[in-house]
Amino acid sequence: DQQVKQNSPSLSVQEGRISILNCDYTNSMFDYFLWYKKYPAEGPTFLISISSIKDKNEDGRFTVFLNKSAKHLSLHIVPSQPGDSAVYFCAATAIQGAQKLVFGQGTRLTINP
Amino acid sequence: NAGVTQTPKFRILKIGQSMTLQCTQDMNHNYMYWYRQDPGMGLKLIYYSVGAGITDKGEVPNGYNVSRSTTEDFPLRLELAAPSQTSVYFCASTNRRGPGRMNTEAFFGQGTRLTVV
């Protein structure tokens, strides 16, 4: 029962182009969504988040879009840089309560020079 | 400013041995969590705590125990290690979301890579 799904295990993008990472969820109780970035041998680091009361949140090169009716969110990185190469995890939580995160399987993003 | 610190970074255990994974945070966070990550998978919640003296099971608690005697520390105990517990373990912490506070990102430690042989 995978409540958060990232259907693309890997994505390869040319440097300078847009990277789009996708995530779907099934639990309607989720009202806060986060993206984490993970380099090998390190812990995940927070990248950007969005509340269910918004449909877009922007932070520099990173933008997250939320489509509640489709239970879908996406992370856009523009322009993509070689340092963006990492595994990206989508996570969801219900703000009320213990704020436990439910993670997707991750997408490995490779930015090619 | 250390954040979340996990020890050890690596460990090899024999089947049936026990060990404690240490986690400490210096951000005065109320909430702490233990996750495990298996190859090609996302992180799964083992146990969590919403404050000192309070712990609860997550999605995959079998074979583990935790305690939370202080705000800073949240050790994870493995009794009778099994090959299925070979994984990378991450500890995380965050603060309870207060009124008007939207951000609730969790901060993660660097992980403990455990192999059971």
Side-chain angles (χ1 to χ4, degrees):
Chain A
D1 179 21
Q2 191 79 20
Q3 297 185 71
V4 178
K5 291 183 184 178
Q6 293 175 256
N7 290 320
S8 298
S10 62
L11 177 67
S12 188
V13 173
Q14 202 79 14
E15 182 179 358
R17 300 286 188 112
I18 183 171
S19 296
I20 300 177
L21 292 85
N22 294 303
C23 178
D24 297 295
Y25 63 97
T26 58
N27 191 334
S28 301
M29 299 301 291
F30 292 146
D31 57 5
Y32 199 81
F33 304 90
L34 308 91
W35 285 94
Y36 280 84
K37 180 178 178 179
K38 186 181 180 306
Y39 293 118
E42 294 185 10
T45 55
F46 170 74
L47 192 58
I48 192 169
S49 61
I50 188 166
S51 164
S52 60
I53 65 173
K54 295 186 175 181
D55 54 20
K56 176 183 173 181
N57 189 26
E58 208 168 340
D59 184 1
R61 296 186 298 114
F62 303 92
T63 303
V64 56
F65 295 92
L66 175 63
N67 182 335
K68 281 192 297 183
S69 60
K71 293 190 174 67
H72 176 84
L73 62 154
S74 61
L75 173 68
H76 293 210
I77 306 174
V78 180
S80 300
Q81 298 174 353
D84 296 330
S85 295
V87 177
Y88 289 78
F89 289 99
C90 169
T93 186
I95 286 292
Q96 295 302 321
Q99 298 171 191
K100 298 174 286 183
L101 294 175
V102 180
F103 285 85
Q105 307 95 309
T107 296
R108 181 177 300 278
L109 176 65
T110 302
I111 306 301
N112 302 307
Chain B
N1 192 2
V4 179
T5 303
Q6 291 183 236
T7 55
K9 287 189 168 51
F10 305 94
R11 183 72 185 267
I12 298 175
L13 276 184
K14 292 185 178 178
I15 294 173
Q17 286 185 320
S18 61
M19 76 165 293
T20 299
L21 283 67
Q22 301 291 346
C23 175
T24 187
Q25 53 92 8
D26 61 359
M27 296 172 283
N28 202 32
H29 284 171
N30 305 103
Y31 294 178
M32 295 188 75
Y33 314 84
W34 274 105
Y35 292 89
R36 60 177 284 174
Q37 184 192 11
D38 298 326
M41 304 292 287
L43 284 73
K44 292 190 183 298
L45 183 64
I46 306 171
Y47 268 94
Y48 65 98
S49 168
V50 299
I54 306 169
T55 63
D56 209 345
K57 295 178 181 178
E59 187 183 353
V60 289
N62 291 345
Y64 307 95
N65 274 303
V66 293
S67 59
R68 183 98 182 268
S69 56
T70 66
T71 299
E72 295 79 19
D73 300 306
F74 190 40
L76 178 71
R77 178 83 177 162
L78 279 73
E79 306 281 4
L80 297 174
S84 61
Q85 293 178 304
T86 294
S87 189
V88 182
Y89 292 82
F90 292 102
C91 179
S93 72
T94 190
N95 241 342
R96 183 174 57 197
R97 177 180 172 273
R101 182 171 179 270
M102 295 303 294
N103 290 342
T104 185
E105 64 269 23
F107 295 85
F108 283 80
Q110 291 211 323
T112 296
R113 183 174 295 274
L114 175 67
T115 303
V116 182
V117 296

